[in-house]
Amino acid sequence: MAILVTPQTKILVQGITGDFGGRHAKLSLDYGTLVVAGVTPGKGGQFFEHGGHKVPIFNSVADAARETGATVSAIFVPPPFAGDAILEGVAAGLELAVAITEGIPVKDMIRVKRAMQGSKTRLVGPNCPGVVTPGTGEGSKGGCRIGIAPGYIHKKGRVGVVSRSGTLTYEAVYQLTVKGIGQSTCVGIGGDPVNGTSHLDVIKLFNDDPETVGIIMIGEIGGSAEVEAARWVKAHCKKPVAGFIAGSTAPAGRRMGHAGAVIGGAEDTAAAKIAVFKECGIEVAATPSDMADALIRVAQTMGVTLS
Amino acid sequence: MNIHEYQAKALLEKYGVPVPRGAAATTPEDFITALTRLPDGPTMVKSQIHAGGRGKGTFTDGFKGGVKFCKTKADAKEIAGKMLGNTLVTAQTGPAGRKVQTIYFTVASEIKKEYYLAILLDRATSRPVIVASTEGGVEIEKVAHETPEKIHKVHVDPAYGLADFQVRELIFKLGFNAAEGKNAGKLIRALYTMYWETDAAMIEINPLITTPTDEVLALDAKVSFDDNGLYRHPLITGLRDLNEEDPKEIEASKHSLSYIALDGNIACLVNGAGLAMSTMDIIKHFGGTPANFLDVGGGASKEQVVAAFKIILGDTNVKGILVNIFGGIMDCNVIATGIVEAVKEVGLKLPLVVRLEGNNVTAGKATLASSGLALVSGDTMADAAQKIVKLVAA
């Protein structure tokens, strides 16, 4: 089944006529993803053309969803307008909004998250690489790629990956693929201090997904989301889980690239999170090169076949 | 972005938060002008640097205390002369310390009691939280650890804003008398308005004080802003003090590179924040010490790679470089070409290990191999990290 999206999911792209959104809409089309609509206010009626695809552009998310049946949005809108773009997707009743945009003011996200309370839309991101459910074609083509991840490094399979970082997700996915282990779905939840879907939300989805047999959880310094997820894993998750936390060498009080990657106190250091992981039975990768091997170790101990 | 105390106090006043009267000076000549704006009598002299622990700090010439109480303005002028231009080392500055380029004089307030008050983001609830305590003027982390019952928190619903009952709750918990409570209520509301309207990341008042006449004042103030929100606040952006930042970090930001200087000797150049952090970690794991955090971003151009090499080499502690690129979408050969050109342009003499992975990696590795440069190729992150640690130790 995979989680969040399947190869049949119809997606729309907010900001499809921008450089960034356009480039990645093309890569998603090449991957075989059903990009059925674009949204750019003022350009409704035009088309986004690529490789034989002719994707209609609409003035609003509501129009795009109604006319094409799209249920998921990929948001590439610049930071000052991105909060608004998320809420437009919520108002249109989308199932999922994936916000790729980096640099949205925290205050905007505080308001967006409050406004989303009680709505049926799930938000992934912002400041994230997106979501990939690999397909069965060459280089995992035929899957659903929402966002900016390289599609070809994936392989269809049974391991779920959740991470706050883009390139670290690719690192983990690539290690798995090289070892012949495929992925059910890979979710980048983003590096901002206020985001939509949390580590725990994704872990719960993976736990409920019969297709997913093992999980890699990648976190970093700052906040307590990984700790919350780890405690839930200990209490409820029966599947093997491997984890990695980036930032052991990061100095306190400095933002390490991601807006949310900053040590605020003794609780949100890498060492503290790694200690909780171990306490909760999560197999900790000693280095980022060890992420796939860590999962293989814990799967073997539990008698689970990953591939 | 951080600002100085004197800048924070000016903003607080603008929003109606009472602060002790004060005046800043950047030259000895300005001391007199600044001091004439204050009444005669006890005066505080405060070094302005972006680091805490100033009062307990020591200057590199042995003079003790970056914040001093003076009985008279004449004394204040003399003490200010010892601080200005001097380098202050505190628990938060690191051994190099910070050069004091501004002095802030304030009226020395009479203190009845000290409190703690701060507003920041609570990540767990995604809401602003007001944190208050009757234990002011001390390290709040210590209070939270030893006497958590003395920390009071109020989470603000962003849809409604700070509610009156929440302000009352804080006032009662802090045990103010009626007159103090009235003043504290006004202050808390003003402080929240400032936090919300300026896209502040954190406002910390430590200590907040009451005076014998029941006034409530922000005696010290530490204010920082969400960098992502600065585009909405040109006046606040203008408060940035480049003297407080590492010149290498300033140069990096001009090229849209995310760079943070550290004190090790193995420089790293990486794409992606998470990968950049964990590249530092893996260097440490194999016995080396990282010299920096450097994220060149997803679409690193040749110009950015050249700029990155120049910044790295500007750090004289650097004895070796590790390049770690996972070229997901980008063509690894383009990156490899950029590295080769950059290395030729800067005339690199230090050991260099390059780990390339991803799109068109075979061509990329071939470009590196045929470049004639004395660089070492690493297969995995672990392999590359071990190689550079060994080369630097040799």
Side-chain angles (χ1 to χ4, degrees):
Chain A
M1 246 305 286
I3 65 165
L4 298 172
V5 291
T6 71
Q8 288 73 45
T9 303
K10 291 180 179 172
I11 76 164
L12 62 89
V13 176
Q14 289 173 260
I16 197 165
T17 53
D19 281 351
F20 191 36
R23 184 160 74 243
H24 286 285
K26 287 176 185 171
L27 288 166
S28 287
L29 285 166
D30 291 343
Y31 192 63
T33 301
L34 301 179
V35 179
V36 297
V39 175
T40 300
K43 294 195 177 169
Q46 299 180 19
F47 290 89
F48 178 84
E49 297 189 50
H50 172 68
H53 300 279
K54 204 173 171 191
V55 180
I57 300 173
F58 297 86
N59 282 325
S60 72
V61 175
D63 287 352
R66 189 178 56 244
E67 297 297 322
T68 65
T71 55
V72 172
S73 170
I75 298 167
F76 289 91
V77 172
F81 320 108
D84 191 79
I86 295 168
L87 290 181
E88 190 182 352
V90 173
L94 297 179
E95 286 171 20
L96 175 67
V98 181
I100 307 304
T101 310
E102 177 173 6
I104 303 177
V106 169
K107 181 169 128 183
D108 293 7
M109 282 312 303
I110 291 174
R111 293 165 68 216
V112 164
K113 209 166 169 187
R114 177 65 178 87
M116 286 184 76
Q117 267 182 20
S119 81
K120 67 170 217 175
T121 309
R122 172 190 290 283
L123 172 67
V124 169
N127 188 13
C128 79
V131 181
V132 176
T133 291
T136 50
E138 189 201 338
S140 78
K141 278 188 181 175
C144 184
R145 171 190 182 270
I146 299 172
I148 59 174
Y152 69 93
I153 62 169
H154 296 80
K155 173 184 163 69
K156 186 173 170 50
R158 304 201 286 167
V159 170
V161 179
V162 54
S163 168
R164 272 163 74 181
S165 147
T167 38
L168 265 183
T169 313
Y170 313 157
E171 186 74 38
V173 167
Y174 190 70
Q175 285 171 24
L176 289 167
T177 298
V178 164
K179 289 173 193 297
I181 301 170
Q183 305 89 41
S184 52
T185 302
C186 303
V187 186
I189 59 173
D192 276 1
V194 177
N195 63 357
T197 299
S198 67
H199 275 106
L200 176 55
D201 295 332
V202 179
I203 297 269
K204 283 180 179 170
L205 293 171
F206 281 140
N207 193 48
D208 291 342
D209 173 32
E211 193 191 0
T212 301
V213 297
I215 301 165
I216 293 183
M217 167 161 61
I218 303 166
E220 59 194 30
I221 52 169
S224 58
E226 295 90 346
V227 168
E228 179 198 33
R231 300 217 189 279
W232 190 90
V233 164
K234 186 183 184 185
H236 303 284
C237 185
K238 300 282 175 272
K239 299 177 180 178
V241 182
F244 177 74
I245 300 287
S248 297
T249 49
R254 298 297 308 265
R255 286 182 195 280
M256 308 303 283
H258 289 153
V262 55
I263 296 171
E267 311 291 314
D268 62 357
T269 61
K273 292 187 186 189
I274 289 168
V276 174
F277 273 18
K278 287 183 175 165
E279 189 188 305
C280 294
I282 294 170
E283 180 73 17
V284 175
T287 74
S289 285
D290 185 43
M291 291 188 285
D293 286 332
L295 183 64
I296 292 168
R297 285 198 297 275
V298 62
Q300 271 171 355
T301 314
M302 294 171 72
V304 172
T305 310
L306 295 171
S307 52
Chain B
M1 187 187 87
N2 297 315
I3 60 173
H4 288 294
E5 177 199 355
Y6 77 97
Q7 297 167 324
K9 294 269 184 75
L11 261 179
L12 287 166
E13 272 198 295
K14 191 176 148 195
Y15 278 89
V17 175
V19 299
R21 269 175 77 182
T26 54
T27 65
E29 296 73 44
D30 284 351
F31 290 167
I32 299 164
T33 329
L35 285 164
T36 51
R37 290 163 61 190
L38 301 183
D40 286 330
T43 303
M44 299 299 297
V45 185
K46 309 181 89 173
S47 303
Q48 299 294 291
I49 57 168
H50 286 184
R54 292 173 297 167
K56 288 180 185 151
T58 304
F59 289 91
T60 45
D61 68 354
F63 184 71
K64 283 199 185 335
V67 176
K68 288 277 202 188
F69 170 84
C70 296
K71 281 186 182 159
T72 65
K73 291 206 284 188
D75 289 356
K77 184 170 165 279
E78 193 194 326
I79 294 292
K82 293 183 178 173
M83 294 180 181
L84 190 69
N86 205 345
T87 300
L88 180 60
V89 181
T90 80
Q92 293 181 15
T93 60
R98 296 274 176 82
K99 192 172 174 187
V100 177
Q101 315 212 22
T102 304
I103 300 292
Y104 188 45
F105 298 101
T106 73
V107 170
S109 307
E110 275 192 76
I111 299 173
K112 186 158 68 176
K113 180 169 168 50
E114 295 182 304
Y115 301 83
Y116 176 91
L117 181 64
I119 309 179
L120 66 159
L121 167 72
D122 176 47
R123 292 173 64 157
T125 57
S126 298
R127 291 184 175 201
V129 60
I130 303 179
V131 182
S133 176
T134 50
E135 308 302 297
V138 293
E139 262 183 63
I140 198 66
E141 290 80 10
K142 208 168 161 229
V143 179
H145 185 69
E146 289 169 6
T147 47
E149 72 281 2
K150 289 183 176 169
I151 303 270
H152 308 290
K153 290 185 183 177
V154 161
H155 290 85
V156 181
D157 184 336
Y160 184 84
L162 180 60
D164 286 345
F165 79 89
Q166 294 183 302
V167 176
R168 289 198 297 272
E169 183 184 330
L170 287 170
I171 289 169
F172 289 131
K173 289 240 166 94
L174 293 176
F176 290 120
N177 70 31
E180 290 169 347
K182 208 174 153 196
N183 290 327
K186 272 190 219 157
L187 183 148
I188 292 168
R189 280 187 204 93
L191 202 68
Y192 185 78
T193 305
M194 172 171 153
Y195 168 84
W196 192 245
E197 288 185 359
T198 61
D199 279 87
M202 182 170 85
I203 303 180
E204 186 181 49
I205 310 295
N206 190 19
L208 177 82
I209 61 154
T210 49
T211 69
T213 52
D214 295 334
E215 286 178 288
V216 184
L217 296 177
L219 202 67
D220 197 1
K222 204 168 134 188
V223 175
S224 61
F225 299 94
D226 171 18
D227 291 347
N228 293 347
L230 283 174
Y231 74 90
R232 298 196 269 237
H233 308 287
L235 291 177
I236 289 170
T237 309
L239 300 177
R240 183 176 174 190
D241 181 357
L242 294 177
N243 289 321
E244 288 289 328
E245 297 174 32
D246 187 308
K248 296 193 291 298
E249 293 177 14
I250 296 168
E251 181 63 21
S253 68
K254 287 182 193 159
H255 299 277
S256 306
L257 301 167
S258 180
Y259 172 93
I260 292 172
L262 300 170
D263 50 13
N265 61 10
I266 298 177
C268 30
L269 190 164
V270 191
N271 67 329
L275 200 62
M277 251 188 285
S278 50
T279 302
M280 291 160 36
D281 298 345
I282 202 169
I283 288 170
K284 181 85 181 232
H285 180 84
F286 288 112
T289 54
N292 64 275
F293 168 91
L294 174 55
D295 171 13
V296 295
S301 65
K302 185 212 143 196
E303 288 70 28
Q304 277 182 307
V305 175
V306 172
F309 268 101
K310 285 183 177 164
I311 290 161
I312 282 173
L313 294 171
D315 178 350
T316 49
N317 290 330
V318 169
K319 298 285 179 276
I321 300 172
L322 172 57
V323 174
N324 181 19
I325 303 284
F326 197 106
I329 302 297
M330 284 190 66
D331 186 330
C332 282
N333 198 26
V334 172
I335 299 166
T337 309
I339 292 169
V340 170
E341 288 181 31
V343 169
K344 283 183 178 163
E345 192 173 327
V346 300
L348 184 69
K349 304 213 167 40
L350 300 172
L352 169 65
V353 175
V354 179
R355 183 266 179 151
L356 266 187
E357 194 55 83
N359 192 9
N360 203 16
V361 67
T362 317
K365 284 186 175 173
T367 299
L368 293 177
S370 62
S371 66
L373 296 174
L375 55 81
V376 177
S377 190
D379 286 330
T380 62
M381 276 178 79
D383 179 48
Q386 282 168 291
K387 280 176 175 162
I388 191 67
V389 169
K390 208 173 155 193
L391 283 168
V392 166

